[in-house]
């Protein structure tokens, strides 16, 4: 961006402005277009002055801050936030006059800030090798009102694990990990809240706590250097004359007639029409600078527009055109038709190592040899000087089983076919063995059926599509946002599938608003540029209309015909579209179940996109199967239903999860309450006061009018619309479009508004009788809000009574999984609570209920592998006479200990073992020797599994290895055993 600044200060009008600014103490300027950040930079660098910038509103504040980050280091720019007026980074920089520009609103000048004399008591400075008792740091954090938690994920939280303290200071983007040895700081490092792993070493760091209100005594205006230049978007008003007169120089930016005119103009708006821009660049004598924030955009635009413009990486909210100096600067706004403010990266919430691996007391589990029991906790037992942890499992008739942690891989959480509780097994009977044998036989039969169903698809071939050409690049360049890493990975997988001879069947799973539609758009574009037709199948008329508009908008600059088949279209139009589709005159057809009519035929269908397949009925799914035979299939879902998830898990279809939320998205705040008029009024009024809208879900048509009347009684001035399935599709669409057009404040609707609809101005959703919804439904509904950078709120209303235990579990789960990207985990948890349902047909229910979904799934995978001629290794039983456990002094939380045991003893390769070792040292500090034994046991398990051993035993220094065909015995300790297994593998 420096090259743009150097070009800017050479402009004749800029030289004239700097001359005037050097002489005059108060004047106004106009005709600056998008040059505000460059004007500020010129004053800072050429006049050697720092700046107090008075922005008109928060949008202008954020835009200028984002722009200036492209030119100045962030410590030199202060984006002032009154809510954080006691942040020391601001105050030290202002008082020491080390800042170059502070961006505020005029009312911020009177904000109270703390005096210098009180700052030291709120400040903590840490250095590597510093002598500091750990108790002194903990006392400071407690006094600073930091919250002690098990896992640090948000600012003002801290956690303690032995000699390690994790802290998330207010003034840091990432939390810090402080490792002590005695009373000395051994190490300081940043860590990532998502992985909980260290990411960078530090030599020193300074952080602070919040200042008490009684210590806020000075006004901001009193500490700002009076030698500063004020640049103001606010006019010279009587009530602020005194403020302006305090400073050396005041420059007012105005759109009216000013004392100085730059004569800069806004450049043309191209609205994604890059071909038009290229033609103008080729024919023009202007010098073009194109400013984009991301390298991927620069590369795309260079391929489309050529090498004539200069491409700069940075941020500019607006471009500028200086005709007299032959200069044209084009920003994202001009390229894509909307201003893009580069938002700070969101802070990811941390999460346990793996919620699916850990066990809580009371969870039902399945032991492969002993059957269904109930987990009762971890017990440490010492026998003959050997101490280790055992999982205590309760069985029928008071029976107990102690399972050593080395055999944790033989245990899985029980998932049934519905939410009914399983029957506990009895140890010492043949009942469990017979149940397993029946389930294994059923799995073999069903595996054969699955193989037959999908064999045709597995051996089927299609004409592979060509690799991306220029049009694909141009189309993707019109997407103005940065793709998330998961989006890019998924897109690469989809393109690889489409360029293969094997038909694609891929499930894209991502939360609402995470960019699944963009994946579908690019896949569709790739298909049509290869002269293939695309069919987009959606469950509702409204969603069909929304997708139709999205596709039309993105494809507007390309010569492809897109049509819609739904009840919006008249019979005459439908007949014409169907005929044109058959003749190949329609490239992309978007429709509801009407597309499954036998009358529908394609000339050359290449791609089938199915949005939310679970919303279609059984008969419709059968028709979809016929469409799938030899075409690429892309399925989109926000929460994979068990059937689809199951197929993906056993490898029949491929899955591409999108867990990464878009930049700027916030977790949705979820609250649970009973009906309370005052609470509901406040929550609705809060949303309306920030110019938002509210979606109120009530899923009972017979009482929806009563609910609407209750809302009217809260405030008769609220504009309320009602939508439900008994209305005609045309009426529904009209209500939806009017709501989008902000003609209503509140939309009271049944769950008809659940599937995929985009309502960008709705950031509060209230779900009445939330206990009657499933987890997937609640998650989908909650995904209707918070899809911009605004904070989203979800209010769940439940009655005082009549809430079942299962419903309580669902509500608890939706609260626990409130972070972005939780859809995949919710699907797994939903399977635990509700069961797997009819994923395999009703004839399989008894077998799944008998052994649990996880074990049945494993049997099915093994059966499929056997039919395909693939070997499946046996899980060995380990009985090792060696002390091995995780001490509570090392990891205090029992939930987390089980998760780590499970990860450690379910490893797939030795590379994972090395990573877990590094992770434990990073997160918890140096581990004791007894944990080293766990690592050796994990390695023994991997080698025994590779050798297909059934059992490995070490007792009284006697080693026993059991294979199906023979047993081997020798003598030695655990290291001898490890060496022996290693030699056998060579």
């Amino acid at each position: 961006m420096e090259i743009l600044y150097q070009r800017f200060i050479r402009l004749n009008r800029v030289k004239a402005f700097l001359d005037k600014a050097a002489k005059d103490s108060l004047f106004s300027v106009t005709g600056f277009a998008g040059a505000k950040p460059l004007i500020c930079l010129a004053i800072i660098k050429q006049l050697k002055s720092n700046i107090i910038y008075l922005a008109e509103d928060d949008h202008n504040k954020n835009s200028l801050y984002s722009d200036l980050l492209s030119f100045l280091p962030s410590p030199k720019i202060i984006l002032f936030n009154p809510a954080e007026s006691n942040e020391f980074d601001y105050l030290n920089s202002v008082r020491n006059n080390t800042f170059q520009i502070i961006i505020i609103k005029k009312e911020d000048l009177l904000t109270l800030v703390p005096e210098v004399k009180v700052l030291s008591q709120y400040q903590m400075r840490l250095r590597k090798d510093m002598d500091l008792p750990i108790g002194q740091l903990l006392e400071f954090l407690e006094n600073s009102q930091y919250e002690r938690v098990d896992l640090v994920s948000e600012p003002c939280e801290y956690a303690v694990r032995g000699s390690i303290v994790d802290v998330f200071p207010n003034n840091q983007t990432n939390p810090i990990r402080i490792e002590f040895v005695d009373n000395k700081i051994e190490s300081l490092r940043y860590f990532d809240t998502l992985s909980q792993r260290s990411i960078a070493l530090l030599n020193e760091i300074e952080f602070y706590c919040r200042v008490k209100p009684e210590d806020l005594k000075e006004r901001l205006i009193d500490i700002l250097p009076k030698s500063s230049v004020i640049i103001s978007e606010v006019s010279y008003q009587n009530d602020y004359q005194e403020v302006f007169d305090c400073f050396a120089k005041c420059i007012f930016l105005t759109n009216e007639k000013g004392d100085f005119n730059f004569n800069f103009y806004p450049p043309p708006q191209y609205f994604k029409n890059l071909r038009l821009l290229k033609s103008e660049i080729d024919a023009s004598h202007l010098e073009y600078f194109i400013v984009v924030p991301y390298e991927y955009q620069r590369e795309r635009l260079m391929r489309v527009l050529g090498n004539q413009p200069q491409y700069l990486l940075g941020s500019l909210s607006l471009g500028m055109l200086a005709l007299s100096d032959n200069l044209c600067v084009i920003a994202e706004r001009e390229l894509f038709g909307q201003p893009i403010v580069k938002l700070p990266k969101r802070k990811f919430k941390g999460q346990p190592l793996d919620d699916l691996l850990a066990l809580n007391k009371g969870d039902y589990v399945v032991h492969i040899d002993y059957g269904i029991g109930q987990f009762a906790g971890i017990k440490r037992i010492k026998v003959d000087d050997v101490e280790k942890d055992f999982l205590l499992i309760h069985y029928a008739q008071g029976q107990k089983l102690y399972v050593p942690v080395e055999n944790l891989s033989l245990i899985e959480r029980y998932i049934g076919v519905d939410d009914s509780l399983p029957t506990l097994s009895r140890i010492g009977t043949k009942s469990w063995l017979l149940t397993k044998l029946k389930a294994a036989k059923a799995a073999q039969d069903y595996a054969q059926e699955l193989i037959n169903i999908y064999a045709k698809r597995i051996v089927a071939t299609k004409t592979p599509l060509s690799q991306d050409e220029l049009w694909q690049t141009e189309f993707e360049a019109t997407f103005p946002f940065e793709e998330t890493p998961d989006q890019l990975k998924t897109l690469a997988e989809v393109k690889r599938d489409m360029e293969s001879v094997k038909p694609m069947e891929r499930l894209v799973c991502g939360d609402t608003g995470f960019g699944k539609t963009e994946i579908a758009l690019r896949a569709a574009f790739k298909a049509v540029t290869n002269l293939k037709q695309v069919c987009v199948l959606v469950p509702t008329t409204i969603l069909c209309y929304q997708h139709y508009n999205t596709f039309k908008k993105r494809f507007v600059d390309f010569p492809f015909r897109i049509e819609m088949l739904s009840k919006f279209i008249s019979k005459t139009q439908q007949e014409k579209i169907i005929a044109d589709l058959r003749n190949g005159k329609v490239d992309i057809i978007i429709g509801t179940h009407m597309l499954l009519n036998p009358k529908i035929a394609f000339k050359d269908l290449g791609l089938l996109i199915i949005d939310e397949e679970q919303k279609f009925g059984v008969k419709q799914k059968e028709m979809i199967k016929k469409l799938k035979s030899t075409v690429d299939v892309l399925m989109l879902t926000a929460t994979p239903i068990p059937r689809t998830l199951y197929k993906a898990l056993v490898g029949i279809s491929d899955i591409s999860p999108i867990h990464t939320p878009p930049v700027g998205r916030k977790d949705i705040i979820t609250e649970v309450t009973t009906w309370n008029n005052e609470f509901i009024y406040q929550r609705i009024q809060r949303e309306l006061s920030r110019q938002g809208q509210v979606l109120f879900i009530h899923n009972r048509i017979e009482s929806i009018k009563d609910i609407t009347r209750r809302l009217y009684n809260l405030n008769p001035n609220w504009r309320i619309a009602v939508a439900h399935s008994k209305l005609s599709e045309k009426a529904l669409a009209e209500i939806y479009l009017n709501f989008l057009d902000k003609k209503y404040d509140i939309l009271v609707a049944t769950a008809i508004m659940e599937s995929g609809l985009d309502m960008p101005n709705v950031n509060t959703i209230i779900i009445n009788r939330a206990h009657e919804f499933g987890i997937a439904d609640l998650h989908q509904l909650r995904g209707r809000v918070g899809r911009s950078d605004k904070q989203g709120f979800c209010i769940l209303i439940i009655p005082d009574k009549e809430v079942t235990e299962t419903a309580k579990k669902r509500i608890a789960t939706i609260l626990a999984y409130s972070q972005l990207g939780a859809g995949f985990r919710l699907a797994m948890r939903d399977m635990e609570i509700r069961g797997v349902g009819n994923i395999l047909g009703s004839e399989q229910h008894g077998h799944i209920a008998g052994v649990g979904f996880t074990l049945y799934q494993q049997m099915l995978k093994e059966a499929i592998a056997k039919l395909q001629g693939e070997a499946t290794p046996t899980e060995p039983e380990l009985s090792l006479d060696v002390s091995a456990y995780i001490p509570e002094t090392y990891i205090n939380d029992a939930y987390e200990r089980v998760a780590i045991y499970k990860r450690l003893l379910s490893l797939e390769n030795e590379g994972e073992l090395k990573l877990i070792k590094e992770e434990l040292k990073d997160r918890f500090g140096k581990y004791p020797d007894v944990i080293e034994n766990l690592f050796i046991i994990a390695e023994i398990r991997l080698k025994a599994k590779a050798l297909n051993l059934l059992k490995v035993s070490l007792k009284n220094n006697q080693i026993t290895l059991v294979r199906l065909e023979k047993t081997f015995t020798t003598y030695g300790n655990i290291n001898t055993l490890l060496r022996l297994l290693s030699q056998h593998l060579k």
Side-chain angles (χ1 to χ4, degrees):
M1 295 291 281
E2 178 65 21
I3 189 171
L4 175 58
Y5 171 70
Q6 294 300 330
R7 180 72 171 87
F8 179 76
I9 59 171
R10 293 200 302 271
L11 301 181
N12 294 328
R13 295 302 293 161
V14 175
K15 292 176 182 176
F17 165 76
L18 289 171
D19 288 342
K20 185 173 181 63
K23 299 173 189 173
D24 296 351
S25 60
L26 190 150
F27 65 99
S28 60
V29 299
T30 189
F32 42 82
K36 286 191 288 188
L38 290 162
I39 292 169
C40 292
L41 203 63
I43 290 172
I44 291 168
K45 292 193 170 187
Q46 306 305 123
L47 299 186
K48 309 298 182 187
S49 298
N50 55 11
I51 293 173
I52 301 165
Y53 191 99
L54 299 185
E56 187 173 13
D57 53 35
D58 287 326
H59 174 77
N60 287 7
K61 274 177 64 175
N62 293 331
S63 295
L64 182 65
Y65 176 72
S66 178
D67 291 352
L68 284 170
L69 284 174
S70 300
F71 298 96
L72 294 172
S74 57
K76 297 296 184 181
I77 314 166
I78 299 174
L79 180 65
F80 186 79
N81 182 351
E84 299 171 350
S85 58
N86 53 3
E87 294 285 359
F88 294 80
D89 289 343
Y90 294 155
L91 302 175
N92 290 338
S93 184
V94 169
R95 284 198 169 95
N96 299 332
N97 202 6
T98 56
F99 73 100
Q100 290 184 323
I101 181 168
I102 181 169
I103 309 168
I104 60 178
K105 293 189 292 188
K106 66 177 188 296
E107 53 265 36
D108 297 338
L109 289 166
L110 305 181
T111 299
L112 292 176
V113 298
E115 297 176 296
V116 176
K117 61 185 179 183
V118 303
L119 294 186
S120 59
Q121 61 187 287
Y122 294 102
Q123 180 178 15
M124 174 64 74
R125 179 178 284 122
L126 303 175
R127 293 186 316 278
K128 187 179 181 300
D129 299 326
M130 174 182 180
D131 290 323
L132 176 73
I134 191 170
Q136 188 176 324
L137 173 62
L138 299 182
E139 184 182 359
F140 173 82
L141 295 171
E142 281 296 321
N143 294 337
S144 304
Q145 297 180 318
Y146 275 66
E147 181 186 0
R148 184 163 180 168
V149 294
D150 293 326
L151 203 68
V152 167
S153 63
E154 299 286 351
C156 293
E157 291 180 345
Y158 78 100
V160 184
R161 293 184 301 280
S163 62
I164 285 181
V165 180
D166 288 347
V167 183
F168 202 149
N170 286 349
N171 63 327
Q172 299 294 320
T173 306
N174 293 103
I176 55 174
R177 180 160 289 156
I178 309 146
E179 187 168 3
F180 288 84
V181 172
D182 298 324
N183 288 327
K184 186 176 182 181
I185 295 177
E186 173 76 8
S187 171
L188 282 171
R189 49 196 190 261
Y190 283 125
F191 70 93
D192 177 69
T193 54
L194 186 62
S195 67
Q196 292 288 307
R197 296 295 308 275
S198 297
I199 51 178
L201 290 170
L202 295 165
N203 286 321
E204 63 178 348
I205 195 163
E206 195 174 78
F207 66 94
Y208 323 95
C209 62
R210 296 276 183 187
V211 177
K212 296 172 185 174
E214 57 265 30
D215 287 328
L216 300 172
K217 295 182 178 178
E218 287 186 306
R219 299 182 306 170
L220 178 62
I221 189 174
D222 297 328
I223 67 168
L224 287 169
K226 299 304 180 282
S227 59
S228 305
V229 172
I230 282 190
I231 297 181
S232 177
E233 296 177 359
V234 182
S235 62
Y236 188 80
Q237 299 169 359
N238 291 333
D239 54 340
Y240 274 86
Q241 282 184 24
E242 182 184 347
V243 170
F244 292 133
D245 292 343
C246 288
F247 296 92
K249 199 177 295 293
C250 295
I251 300 169
F252 298 93
L253 305 179
T254 178
N255 291 321
E256 309 297 329
K257 186 177 179 182
D259 301 316
F260 181 88
N261 192 337
F262 276 102
N263 288 321
F264 298 156
Y265 302 95
Q269 297 277 329
Y270 293 97
F271 297 104
K272 306 178 187 177
N273 191 342
L274 301 180
R275 276 175 283 175
L276 174 61
L277 174 57
K278 176 167 174 52
S279 66
E280 290 186 1
I281 291 171
D282 292 343
S284 175
H285 62 279
L286 296 174
E287 183 180 2
Y288 280 86
F289 287 85
I290 295 178
V291 182
V292 289
Y294 306 110
E295 178 63 36
Y296 76 90
Q297 286 179 315
R298 178 165 70 173
E299 290 175 0
R300 287 181 192 162
L301 291 169
M302 284 180 70
R303 288 199 292 270
V304 175
L305 302 177
N307 295 322
Q308 189 173 332
Q310 296 196 55
Y311 299 92
L312 305 179
L313 278 180
S315 174
L316 272 186
S317 304
L318 295 167
M320 54 174 280
L321 181 61
L323 289 172
S324 58
D325 290 277
N326 297 326
L327 174 67
C328 183
V329 180
I330 295 176
E332 280 187 295
R333 182 190 183 101
E334 293 81 44
L335 286 171
F336 303 117
Q338 56 184 350
I340 303 296
V341 176
K342 192 176 180 183
L343 297 162
K345 293 280 186 183
R346 71 181 298 276
K347 298 183 181 82
F348 285 97
K349 287 184 73 66
Q351 50 198 345
L353 286 172
D354 194 337
D355 291 327
L356 303 177
L357 295 180
L359 293 170
N360 288 310
K361 283 185 180 180
D363 284 349
Y364 288 93
V365 295
V366 180
H367 190 293
I368 194 168
D369 293 325
Y370 299 102
I372 300 168
Q374 198 166 15
F375 177 61
I378 298 178
K379 302 289 181 184
R380 180 146 317 138
I381 299 174
K382 188 173 183 179
V383 180
D384 297 333
D385 294 327
V386 174
E387 191 174 7
K388 66 171 70 175
D389 278 350
F390 290 78
L391 274 68
L392 173 59
I393 302 173
H394 288 169
Y395 283 86
Q397 299 180 349
Q399 294 176 315
K400 295 180 180 179
L401 177 69
Y402 290 90
V403 181
V405 290
E406 61 257 37
N407 285 328
L408 227 138
S409 56
L410 302 176
I411 295 172
E412 296 289 349
R413 185 186 271 118
Y414 175 87
I415 302 173
V417 292
D418 52 33
D419 57 7
S420 59
L421 299 179
T423 301
L424 297 182
S425 302
R426 282 184 60 198
I427 299 175
T429 68
K430 293 182 179 179
S431 174
W432 172 246
L433 179 60
L434 292 172
T435 302
K436 270 204 313 179
L437 288 172
K438 287 178 184 176
K441 176 65 169 63
Q444 288 168 11
D445 294 343
Y446 194 72
Q448 186 62 62
E449 187 180 335
L450 282 177
I451 293 288
N452 293 339
I453 290 171
Y454 288 93
K456 191 182 293 184
R457 185 168 184 84
I458 290 167
V459 300
T461 59
K462 63 172 176 69
T463 304
L465 303 191
S466 62
Q467 293 189 345
D468 290 356
E469 297 180 354
L470 182 60
W471 269 22
Q472 185 83 26
T473 303
E474 186 175 334
F475 178 78
E476 295 183 1
T478 63
F479 182 59
F481 305 103
E482 181 185 16
E483 298 97 335
T484 64
D486 285 350
Q487 266 185 310
L488 290 172
K489 181 175 179 291
T490 299
L491 187 63
E493 289 167 345
V494 168
K495 287 183 177 179
R496 186 188 64 226
D497 289 349
M498 296 177 77
E499 292 165 9
S500 165
V501 295
K502 181 184 174 185
M504 170 175 72
E505 183 166 356
R506 183 167 293 278
L507 168 68
V508 177
C509 162
D511 275 5
T512 50
F514 275 37
K516 300 186 298 295
T517 303
E518 181 61 23
I519 301 294
L521 284 162
R522 297 187 186 187
F525 193 89
K526 187 174 184 68
V528 293
T529 52
N530 278 265
L531 306 180
K532 296 288 184 181
Q533 290 174 296
V534 176
C535 176
V536 183
L537 193 57
V538 298
T540 65
T541 302
I542 297 175
L543 187 56
C544 177
Y545 183 79
Q546 179 180 295
H547 276 327
Y548 174 71
N549 282 331
T550 301
F551 272 74
K552 291 285 282 187
K553 186 177 178 182
R554 284 299 306 279
F555 280 74
V556 67
D557 295 321
F558 298 92
F560 301 113
R561 183 179 168 189
I562 302 169
E563 294 291 353
M564 171 174 60
L565 268 185
S566 73
K567 290 183 180 178
F568 279 132
I569 307 299
S570 69
K571 293 286 185 185
T572 307
Q573 284 179 291
Q574 286 181 24
E575 292 300 326
K576 186 175 188 314
I577 291 169
I578 290 170
D580 288 349
L581 189 63
R582 188 184 300 113
N583 295 325
K585 295 179 181 178
V586 174
D587 299 294
I588 300 174
I589 187 73
I590 301 168
T592 59
H593 60 275
M594 292 176 68
L595 285 173
L596 301 174
N597 191 307
K599 290 195 304 181
I600 304 294
F602 297 87
K603 184 177 182 182
D604 190 5
L605 180 63
L607 174 65
L608 172 62
I609 299 171
I610 308 171
D611 197 358
E612 300 295 355
E613 184 182 5
Q614 72 269 26
K615 300 297 178 186
F616 293 96
V618 176
K619 288 183 179 178
Q620 292 164 347
K621 287 178 181 175
E622 289 304 315
M623 295 175 189
I624 291 170
K625 278 184 186 176
K626 293 176 184 175
L627 267 180
K628 286 181 177 181
S629 56
T630 56
V631 300
D632 287 325
V633 179
L634 185 64
M635 296 170 285
L636 313 176
T637 184
T639 304
I641 59 166
R643 182 181 187 85
T644 317
L645 180 61
Y646 170 75
K647 286 171 58 183
L649 289 176
V650 298
I652 291 168
S653 64
D654 298 310
I655 188 168
S656 294
I658 301 180
H659 296 311
T660 318
V663 173
R665 284 285 298 277
K666 298 178 175 70
D667 293 342
I668 298 163
I669 295 173
T670 307
E671 301 174 272
V672 178
T673 182
T674 54
W675 187 282
N676 180 300
N677 283 340
E678 181 62 26
F679 179 84
I680 292 169
Y681 172 82
Q682 288 177 355
R683 291 298 182 267
I684 292 176
Q685 204 56 46
R686 174 182 64 187
E687 185 58 52
L688 301 186
S689 66
R690 58 175 185 165
Q691 285 74 53
Q693 293 168 288
V694 174
L695 180 59
F696 191 106
I697 300 296
H698 179 79
N699 210 29
R700 292 184 174 182
I701 297 174
E702 67 274 10
S703 55
I704 199 166
K705 286 185 179 178
D706 296 333
I707 288 293
T708 306
R709 196 175 299 112
R710 290 175 77 173
L711 294 176
Y712 267 124
N713 290 337
L714 294 180
N715 188 336
N717 294 320
W718 287 342
R719 298 172 301 163
I720 305 177
V722 180
H724 55 77
S725 58
K726 285 191 176 179
L727 296 175
S728 69
E729 296 207 37
K730 190 172 182 181
L732 274 175
E734 191 174 328
I735 290 167
Y736 169 63
L737 294 174
N738 284 336
F739 186 60
L740 283 186
D741 205 27
K742 301 182 184 177
K743 292 179 181 176
Y744 301 113
D745 301 314
I746 304 167
L747 178 60
V748 180
T750 59
I752 194 170
M753 289 297 171
E754 173 193 332
S755 297
L757 293 179
D758 190 10
M759 293 179 276
N761 201 46
V762 175
N763 286 297
T764 293
I765 185 170
I766 301 174
I767 305 173
N768 195 29
R769 302 188 65 81
H771 63 293
E772 295 176 349
F773 291 88
I775 289 180
D777 298 326
L778 287 174
H779 185 64
Q780 285 266 29
L781 286 167
R782 182 169 60 182
R784 299 299 103 225
V785 302
R787 300 183 73 168
S788 63
D789 59 322
K790 280 188 178 180
Q791 179 64 63
F793 297 92
C794 176
I795 317 297
L796 306 178
I797 300 176
I798 59 175
D800 291 325
K801 300 175 182 177
E802 68 179 90
V803 181
T804 66
E805 284 303 313
T806 300
K808 287 177 183 175
K809 282 185 183 179
R810 287 200 294 270
I811 298 294
T813 298
I814 207 77
L815 285 170
Y817 291 89
S818 61
Q819 71 261 39
L820 295 168
F824 192 83
R825 288 165 174 262
L826 276 168
M828 293 299 288
R829 182 64 179 146
D830 199 19
M831 286 167 67
E832 291 171 35
I833 293 170
R834 291 198 301 174
V836 295
N838 188 25
I839 64 169
L840 304 173
S842 58
E843 67 278 6
Q844 303 297 321
H845 272 212
H847 304 299
I848 298 170
V851 300
F853 175 70
T854 309
L855 180 54
Y856 186 88
Q857 177 187 289
Q858 183 61 35
M859 291 174 170
L860 189 57
K861 287 179 75 171
E862 289 175 4
I864 290 172
K866 188 175 180 180
L867 288 169
Q868 293 177 333
E870 298 171 4
T872 53
T874 305
E875 188 62 53
E877 181 186 345
L878 306 181
S879 179
L880 305 173
D881 211 1
V882 61
S883 292
Y885 58 90
I886 300 173
E888 290 87 341
T889 52
Y890 187 67
I891 300 177
N892 181 55
D893 186 73
Y895 179 87
E896 201 157 18
R897 287 204 305 278
V898 176
I900 291 173
Y901 278 137
K902 187 66 175 166
R903 288 177 68 202
L904 195 54
L905 295 156
S906 302
L907 294 169
E908 295 297 326
N909 57 66
E910 292 186 21
E912 292 177 42
L913 178 60
K914 183 180 178 184
L915 290 174
I916 291 182
K917 283 185 181 182
E918 292 171 357
E919 182 180 327
L920 288 184
K921 281 191 283 189
D922 179 18
R923 295 182 60 202
F924 304 99
K926 186 180 178 183
Y927 49 78
D929 292 341
V930 71
I931 293 182
E932 185 63 46
N933 285 343
L934 277 175
F935 295 142
I936 295 173
I937 290 169
E939 197 172 349
I940 285 171
R941 173 189 161 269
L942 283 172
K943 294 182 186 305
K945 195 171 180 179
L947 291 167
N948 215 22
L949 298 178
L950 300 178
K951 187 172 180 178
V952 176
S953 161
L954 172 64
K955 192 168 181 63
N956 297 327
N957 285 331
Q958 180 175 315
I959 297 168
T960 306
L961 307 180
V962 180
R963 261 206 181 104
L964 190 61
E965 64 276 9
K966 64 177 180 178
T967 299
F968 174 81
T969 304
T970 188
Y971 291 90
N973 59 21
I974 194 166
N975 292 312
T976 311
L977 171 58
L978 184 60
R979 284 196 301 272
L980 183 65
L981 294 173
S982 300
Q983 288 167 4
H984 273 281
L985 281 172
K986 288 181 180 177

